[in-house]
Amino acid sequence: ENVCRKRIGGGAALSLPHAARAISKRRRTATTLLCYAIGVRSMTGFGRGVSEQARVRATVDIRGVNHRFLDLKLRGGPLAPALEEAISTRVRATVERGSVTVSVHLVRTAGAPRINFQAAGAAHIQLAELARTLGMPGPDLALVLAQPGVVALAEDDHEAPDACVLAATDAALAQLQTMRDAEGQALANELSARLGELAALREKIGTLAGGVA
């Protein structure tokens, strides 16, 4: 019988097929450990991005949990279809698997107040006429400014939040990836340690079995 006289793991002489299988197992273990060392990314994570541009403040929260495929959900206020598609494209380019929920929260701040001088003049005339009729002192500035239409808040309904929301999305994705990488590395370290222990036990068992044979 063709026998490989090189001892594997310090045990007794093994036949060539058995020796080849033992070497193959060692290689598979080493390859597995190398794969874990290269990097494992968890599917669980959270990221938050905040961006403020002009009078728009966008907060984007992205949560990921385990899922066999990529399941993307977009929540929040109504957004333009083009903006929703842009958010989805960014997420799909970054996350390959997992159940991912993207929450978008928009806050629009009011602009500086504007005074309608024409409305203020008309209000002053009417108030002054009323004061003369009633024999009272004329209206002061505070009373005039308090009249409807005199002071208005500047609004810009055409100001699109797209750039602000996308900037917040990018920041949230970066934070999400950082957390997923950290959790994945912790998992990889744990798996590598377990595999190392199993490999050591297998070597020990092989040595003991060889001594018995």
Side-chain angles (χ1 to χ4, degrees), residues 49-53 56-60 105-106 163-169 171:
V50 179
S51 178
E52 190 167 356
Q53 300 179 15
V56 178
R57 178 183 176 86
T59 302
V60 176
H105 181 62
L106 288 175
C164 188
V165 172
L166 293 179
T169 301

Side-chain angles (χ1 to χ4, degrees), residues 102-205:
V102 181
S103 301
V104 181
H105 181 62
L106 288 175
V107 175
R108 297 178 183 270
T109 58
R114 296 182 301 178
I115 297 177
N116 188 329
F117 290 97
Q118 183 177 359
H124 183 270
I125 292 173
Q126 292 178 355
L127 291 172
E129 184 178 350
L130 177 61
R132 285 194 299 270
T133 301
L134 299 176
M136 299 175 61
D140 59 8
L141 181 60
L143 182 58
V144 174
L145 292 176
Q147 302 309 301
V150 175
V151 179
L153 296 178
E155 296 289 345
D156 186 1
D157 296 335
H158 301 289
E159 187 174 358
D162 296 28
C164 188
V165 172
L166 293 179
T169 301
D170 291 338
L173 283 172
Q175 191 177 96
L176 173 70
Q177 291 297 80
T178 299
M179 181 176 291
R180 294 174 71 216
D181 287 340
E183 291 190 3
Q185 187 58 52
L187 178 61
N189 293 340
E190 178 68 18
L191 291 175
S192 296
R194 297 288 182 89
L195 286 174
E197 293 174 1
L198 290 174
L201 289 173
R202 188 179 64 197
E203 293 287 342
K204 186 175 181 180
I205 292 173

Side-chain angles (χ1 to χ4, degrees), residues 86-103:
I87 295 174
S88 298
T89 300
R90 276 170 158 76
V91 174
R92 294 181 185 279
T94 306
V95 182
E96 296 180 356
R97 293 176 59 194
S99 177
V100 180
T101 301
V102 181
S103 301

Side-chain angles (χ1 to χ4, degrees), residues 26-40 185 188 191-192 195:
R26 287 185 176 184
R27 288 177 178 174
R28 287 199 299 270
T29 301
T31 302
T32 303
L33 291 172
L34 178 60
C35 290
Y36 286 129
I38 291 174
V40 175
Q185 187 58 52
L191 291 175
S192 296
L195 286 174

Side-chain angles (χ1 to χ4, degrees), residues 47-93:
R48 168 171 291 178
V50 179
S51 178
E52 190 167 356
Q53 300 179 15
R55 295 196 297 272
V56 178
R57 178 183 176 86
T59 302
V60 176
D61 292 337
I62 303 179
R63 291 177 173 82
V65 296
N66 293 339
H67 196 275
R68 186 176 180 182
F69 305 105
L70 177 59
D71 180 23
L72 178 59
K73 302 181 183 68
L74 184 60
R75 297 176 179 174
L79 300 175
L83 179 56
E84 291 185 357
E85 182 62 28
I87 295 174
S88 298
T89 300
R90 276 170 158 76
V91 174
R92 294 181 185 279

